[in-house]
């Protein structure tokens, strides 16, 4: 076996698993899709996704800490918190588009 090829393949698999570990969490894709559609405030994400407050709060914190969003606080009054996509967040668009197309094309593979 070619050790270099095995190492490269392993690195690619690890990279895919790393991405899916973050973006594959419940509602992460829906939240990013909503942001790509213009959502920035908690209420925007809630309306667009229907996710519970607790899950939405957790995912926004996780995605922000991972660098997909920058959390901006406008002191107000009233205080307004916005979640603005970073370059990494913007870069998810083609991936989410492909995943959405895959789900539509092969519905039977993804139904419960």
């Amino acid at each position: 076996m070619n050790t270099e090829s095995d190492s490269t393949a392993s690195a690619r698999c690890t990279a895919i698993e790393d991405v899916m570990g973050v973006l594959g969490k419940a509602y992460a894709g829906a939240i990013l899709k909503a942001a790509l559609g213009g959502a920035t405030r908690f209420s925007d994400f809630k309306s667009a996704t229907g996710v519970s407050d607790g899950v939405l709060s957790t995912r926004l914190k996780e995605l922000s800490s991972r660098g997909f969003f920058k959390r901006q606080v406008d002191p107000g009054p009233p205080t307004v918190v916005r979640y603005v996509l970073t370059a990494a967040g913007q870069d998810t668009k083609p991936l989410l588009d492909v995943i959405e197309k895959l789900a539509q094309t092969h519905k039977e593979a993804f139904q419960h």
Side-chain angles (χ1 to χ4, degrees):
M1 287 190 152
N2 184 336
T3 309
E4 186 175 355
S5 294
D6 291 346
S7 175
T8 302
S10 178
R12 277 197 305 266
C13 287
T14 299
I16 291 168
E17 292 301 318
D18 289 346
V19 169
M20 295 307 295
V22 175
L23 299 184
K25 288 188 176 180
Y27 302 105
I31 292 166
L32 286 163
K33 206 64 169 155
L36 290 162
T40 60
R41 297 176 64 182
F42 191 92
S43 60
D44 298 335
F45 292 107
K46 178 109 174 125
S47 295
T49 64
V51 178
S52 72
D53 289 356
V55 171
L56 180 56
S57 180
T58 299
R59 289 296 168 267
L60 285 169
K61 286 177 187 173
E62 289 172 350
L63 292 168
S64 295
S65 72
R66 297 283 189 158
F68 293 97
F69 288 105
K70 181 177 182 193
R71 187 175 183 269
Q72 295 179 339
V73 180
D74 302 328
T79 301
V80 176
V81 178
R82 297 183 192 285
Y83 294 88
V84 180
L85 285 169
T86 62
Q90 292 284 345
D91 285 348
T92 64
K93 184 179 184 335
L95 175 62
L96 294 173
D97 289 345
V98 168
I99 291 171
E100 191 171 51
K101 183 178 178 187
L102 178 68
Q104 291 169 353
T105 304
H106 302 284
K107 290 177 187 172
E108 70 285 348
F110 300 103
Q111 292 176 342
H112 296 262

